[in-house]
Amino acid sequence: MDRRDFLTTASAAIAAGAAAAPSAALATDHDHPMPPDWAEMARRNDQIVMVVYPGMTALDLVGPQYMFANVLGAKVHLVGKAHEPVACDTGFSILPTMTFTEAPAEPAVLFVPGGTTGTLSFIEDDESLGFVADRGARATYVTSVCTGSLVLAAAGLLTDYRATSHWVVRDLLRHGGAIPVDQRVVVDRNRVTGAGVSAGLDMGLHMVALMRGPDYAKACQLLAEYDPQPPFAAGTPAGAGPQATKLMDDMFAAFKERTVAVLRDRSRR
Amino acid sequence: MDRRDFLTTASAAIAAGAAAAPSAALATDHDHPMPPDWAEMARRNDQIVMVVYPGMTALDLVGPQYMFANVLGAKVHLVGKAHEPVACDTGFSILPTMTFTEAPAEPAVLFVPGGTTGTLSFIEDDESLGFVADRGARATYVTSVCTGSLVLAAAGLLTDYRATSHWVVRDLLRHGGAIPVDQRVVVDRNRVTGAGVSAGLDMGLHMVALMRGPDYAKACQLLAEYDPQPPFAAGTPAGAGPQATKLMDDMFAAFKERTVAVLRDRSRR
C-alpha cells in the first residue's frame, strides 16, 4: 500500500465517522467502500501547479508539496521553464514534471516557492513572470511561501491583497502593491501566502483544509506526524531577539535593495 | 548574496555578540571579519551523507537537508545507488549528487530518510543496506527521520540504542533490536532519530546544535522562520484521537506485517 492508497482509505474512514470504524472492509488494502461524499472527492480532477525555478529553496516547495500530494482527487505538477533539472539553493536538483507550455490552463492551485537572488532573476524573466500572471489570473487559489509572494506581487497578483512573506522582506511587499501582514499564513479571498521557508507546512495544511475540509486536513497532519517541537524559540525576530534580527536585516541589505528595485521596475511596466 | 554567504555572515556576527553588532564591516556583503572560533568553524571539512532511494518521502529528506546545508564548514551529499533520478513517493524526482562508491568513507553524518514500501525494498537490497552498515559504522553521527530508522535497525546500527520512528511503526523497531521511545527526537550516544516526516526539521535543528552549538542553530532557525503554527492539533495519535489513530493503524496493517518480516529476516543473517 503506498501513501496515496493509505490516505484515500484513511480519509474515507475518518469521514464516515464511528460507524465506519474497524470493519472487515477496512482490514484489506485495496478494496474499501467509500462514503458517497468522499468517493465524489476522489473523482475530482483538480490540477495543482507548483512553479519551480533555479535558485528556489527546496523546503519552500517540498513542505506544501507533501500536503498537496495527499489531496484526494488532485494531481500535483512541478512546472518549470524547460525539461531540465532545477538547481535549488541548498545544493541539489529536482526534475520538473512539465513545462510552462504543457501546464494546465486553469489550475485549482497556483503555487510559487521562494529563494533569494534566484527569485529576483525569475521575476526579471518575462516568460516566467508572464506564466505566473497568466495562470494566477485563472487559478482558483493563488499561493506562495516565503519570498514567493514577491513573485506574485511582481506579477500583479497581490495588488490590494493582504499577504505575508519571509520576515526579512515582508514589508517590501508594499512596493508590489500588496498589504504586508505579520502572520504565519494569510488568507485574503483566494490568495493564500505563507511566511518564511518552514511556513510551507502550515500553508499547505491550510490549503488542504480549504480544498477538502478540516477532517481531511487532520488526516494529512497525522500522516505527516506534524506535531512540531523546535529545540529553540528562535524562529521569529521576536523569539530570536533584536540583536540577531538587526544583524540579519542588515546583512540582507543588498538583497532588499535589489528587491525594491525589481518590484518598482515591474510596477512601472 | 546567497543563502550560504548570508548565514556565514550572520553566524559570525551573532557569535561575536553585541560588540560585533551594527558595524561598517557588516554593511557590505562579502567582506566580513569573523571571530576566530567561527573562522575556524568555516575551515572544517565535515562530509554529510544523506542517502536517497526510490520511494523515499521527499519531505523526510528536505527538512533536514535545509538545516544541514546551512552548517558552516560542512558539505552535504545526496548519495544514491546510481547517477539516476530518484522518484520520491509524492510524485517527483530528485538527482543524487554522488553514488555509494563515490561517497566519503568517514562522514561526519550519515542520514537515512523514510518511506513505506520503497524503504522495505531498500532494506532488502544487499548493496544498499551494506552501504548504510559500512558508513554507519564509521560516521560520527548516525541519523534518520521517520521509517529511516527501520533501515538503520536492519543494518544493525540501532541494536540496544533508544530510537524513534513514524508513530505507526515505532514499536516495530524492537524487531530490529532497538528500544522504541515515544519522543519527537531521540539522541542516544551518536544515534539521532526523528519521528514521522515533519520531524526532520526538529531533528535537523538538533543536529546543527550538536555540530555547531545552540547559537548557530538559532541563527538557522531564524533564517528558516521556523515558528510552526499548525492549524490543527492532529499531529499525533493523542491529538488526532483514538478513532483516527486506530483506523490508520489498521490500514497500515499489511505494511507493518511486511516490516516485521523484513526486520526479522535481516536479524537472522
Side-chain angles (χ1 to χ4, degrees):
Chain A
M1 177 162 64
D2 73 15
R3 187 177 299 277
R4 285 301 281 265
D5 294 336
F6 163 67
L7 199 63
T8 302
T9 304
S11 309
I14 288 167
S23 75
L26 292 175
T28 64
D29 287 336
H30 289 285
D31 184 26
H32 312 286
M34 256 191 242
D37 55 331
W38 293 82
E40 173 147 345
M41 199 185 277
R43 283 194 298 272
R44 288 195 204 177
N45 190 25
D46 286 345
Q47 305 298 309
I48 299 177
V49 169
M50 305 188 81
V51 175
V52 296
Y53 58 86
M56 69 177 180
T57 301
L59 184 52
D60 288 18
L61 175 83
V62 175
Q65 200 272 341
Y66 178 90
M67 303 299 175
F68 284 138
N70 281 315
V71 171
L72 196 54
K75 174 80 184 154
V76 179
H77 309 287
L78 302 197
V79 181
K81 198 171 177 179
H83 278 295
E84 282 167 15
V86 171
C88 304
D89 72 352
T90 55
F92 73 101
S93 296
I94 66 157
L95 295 178
T97 60
M98 58 171 59
T99 62
F100 293 165
T101 52
E102 295 161 356
E106 302 193 344
V109 179
L110 173 74
F111 168 83
V112 181
T116 53
T117 54
T119 307
L120 299 185
S121 299
F122 182 82
I123 289 174
E124 289 175 319
D125 179 66
D126 289 337
E127 184 188 342
S128 297
L129 199 68
F131 174 78
V132 170
D134 178 81
R135 295 311 193 274
R138 307 151 180 256
T140 310
Y141 292 100
V142 177
T143 71
S144 68
V145 162
C146 198
T147 56
S149 57
L150 301 177
V151 177
L152 298 183
L157 293 166
L158 291 182
T159 307
D160 299 326
Y161 281 85
R162 299 166 71 248
T164 191
S165 190
H166 192 288
W167 64 266
V168 90
V169 294
R170 190 177 54 236
D171 287 343
L172 305 186
L173 281 170
R174 294 184 199 283
H175 298 285
I179 304 153
V181 178
D182 180 3
Q183 208 170 278
R184 188 79 176 158
V185 177
V186 174
V187 183
D188 184 353
R189 287 156 282 174
N190 76 332
R191 268 56 165 179
V192 182
T193 51
V197 195
S198 58
L201 282 80
D202 300 321
M203 194 286 294
L205 261 183
H206 269 275
M207 281 304 302
V208 176
L210 285 170
M211 297 175 77
R212 297 294 184 263
D215 286 342
Y216 193 84
K218 287 177 190 173
C220 291
Q221 189 177 353
L222 182 56
L223 186 64
E225 201 166 349
Y226 188 40
D227 172 45
Q229 297 173 29
F232 312 104
T236 59
Q243 184 186 329
T245 302
K246 177 155 180 35
L247 287 169
M248 288 212 181
D249 241 349
D250 289 348
M251 278 173 277
F252 268 116
F255 174 70
K256 291 166 76 171
E257 228 171 86
R258 197 180 147 207
T259 297
V260 173
V262 166
L263 289 178
R264 284 189 176 156
D265 177 55
R266 275 289 158 188
S267 69
R268 270 197 299 271
R269 296 195 195 185
Chain B
M1 175 164 63
D2 72 16
R3 187 176 299 275
R4 286 300 283 264
D5 293 336
F6 163 67
L7 199 65
T8 303
T9 304
S11 310
I14 289 165
S23 76
L26 293 176
T28 64
D29 287 336
H30 289 286
D31 184 27
H32 312 287
M34 254 191 243
D37 55 332
W38 293 81
E40 174 149 344
M41 199 186 275
R43 283 194 298 273
R44 288 196 203 176
N45 191 25
D46 286 344
Q47 305 298 309
I48 298 177
V49 169
M50 305 188 82
V51 175
V52 296
Y53 59 86
M56 69 177 180
T57 301
L59 184 52
D60 287 18
L61 175 83
V62 175
Q65 200 273 342
Y66 179 90
M67 302 300 175
F68 284 138
N70 281 315
V71 171
L72 196 54
K75 174 81 185 153
V76 179
H77 309 287
L78 302 197
V79 181
K81 199 172 177 180
H83 277 296
E84 283 166 15
V86 171
C88 304
D89 72 352
T90 54
F92 72 101
S93 296
I94 65 157
L95 296 177
T97 61
M98 57 171 58
T99 62
F100 292 165
T101 52
E102 295 161 356
E106 303 195 342
V109 179
L110 175 73
F111 168 82
V112 182
T116 53
T117 54
T119 308
L120 299 184
S121 300
F122 182 83
I123 290 174
E124 289 174 319
D125 179 66
D126 289 337
E127 185 188 342
S128 297
L129 200 68
F131 174 77
V132 170
D134 178 81
R135 295 310 194 275
R138 306 151 182 257
T140 310
Y141 291 99
V142 177
T143 70
S144 67
V145 162
C146 198
T147 56
S149 58
L150 301 176
V151 177
L152 298 183
L157 293 167
L158 291 182
T159 307
D160 300 325
Y161 281 85
R162 299 166 70 248
T164 191
S165 191
H166 192 287
W167 64 266
V168 91
V169 293
R170 191 178 53 236
D171 287 343
L172 304 186
L173 281 170
R174 294 184 199 282
H175 298 285
I179 305 154
V181 179
D182 180 3
Q183 208 171 277
R184 188 80 176 156
V185 177
V186 175
V187 183
D188 184 355
R189 287 156 283 174
N190 76 332
R191 266 57 163 178
V192 183
T193 52
V197 195
S198 59
L201 282 80
D202 301 321
M203 194 286 294
L205 261 183
H206 269 276
M207 282 304 302
V208 176
L210 284 170
M211 296 176 77
R212 297 294 184 264
D215 286 342
Y216 194 84
K218 287 176 190 173
C220 290
Q221 188 177 353
L222 183 57
L223 186 64
E225 202 165 349
Y226 188 39
D227 173 44
Q229 296 174 31
F232 311 105
T236 59
Q243 184 186 330
T245 301
K246 176 154 178 38
L247 286 170
M248 288 211 181
D249 240 349
D250 289 348
M251 276 173 278
F252 268 116
F255 173 71
K256 291 166 75 169
E257 229 171 83
R258 196 178 148 208
T259 297
V260 172
V262 166
L263 289 177
R264 285 190 176 153
D265 178 56
R266 276 289 160 190
S267 70
R268 271 197 297 271
R269 297 195 192 184

